Amino acid sequence: MVVPNIDHSYYDMLGGEAGVRTLVDDFYDHMQLDERFAGIRAMHPQDMSTSRDKLFWFLSGWLGGPPLFEEKFGHPRLRARHLPFSIGESERDQWMTCMSDVMQKSTLSVEARSALIGALFKTADWMRNKDV
């Protein structure tokens, strides 16, 4: 994960635990309400509370905060954990658009937001396991 500077992690810049939780909840709320994200919404269970928690736990550590996901489950092994799902460019782009949309409400500077979106894109692109 790219850290914007040595004084503050993205975790801190987003407002710590409460800020990351808000980002995750806004992401899943947006996914659920916006038809543009129907493809990735269909990959989730009806009750997305576990999905919300897992993304929060993962992002907590990935953004420079407490490594909650690793404490609970060990190494994230993101690609391996996502292999059961068919993920191509469309799914990557839906995920990124949804996350980018909700990040516009964050307290991050334009520069930090742009850098974080770039880092998230690299990770989302790495999740692809089909060509289209």
Side-chain angles (χ1 to χ4, degrees), residues 86-99:
S86 182
I87 302 172
E89 291 178 4
S90 174
E91 293 79 15
R92 175 204 61 201
D93 292 348
Q94 287 178 52
W95 196 95
M96 283 303 307
T97 299
C98 187
M99 183 58 77

Side-chain angles (χ1 to χ4, degrees), residues 16 21 25 30-31 42 59-61 67 81 88 94 100 103 105 118:
R21 176 56 79 178
D25 287 341
H30 191 43
M31 179 196 304
L59 285 179
S60 176
R81 291 181 195 274
Q94 287 178 52
S100 295
M103 284 187 64
K105 298 188 308 184

Side-chain angles (χ1 to χ4, degrees), residues 49-119:
S49 56
T50 299
S51 300
R52 287 173 187 257
D53 285 343
K54 285 184 176 180
L55 182 59
F56 167 74
W57 296 329
F58 171 74
L59 285 179
S60 176
W62 192 79
L63 293 169
L68 303 175
F69 189 94
E70 289 184 26
E71 290 170 0
K72 295 176 185 311
F73 304 106
H75 190 281
R77 302 180 308 119
L78 283 183
R79 194 146 202 292
R81 291 181 195 274
H82 287 80
L83 281 175
F85 307 100
S86 182
I87 302 172
E89 291 178 4
S90 174
E91 293 79 15
R92 175 204 61 201
D93 292 348
Q94 287 178 52
W95 196 95
M96 283 303 307
T97 299
C98 187
M99 183 58 77
S100 295
D101 285 357
V102 300
M103 284 187 64
Q104 299 308 312
K105 298 188 308 184
S106 77
T107 59
L108 295 175
S109 68
V110 172
E111 296 81 13
R113 188 179 319 129
S114 178
L116 181 52
I117 288 171

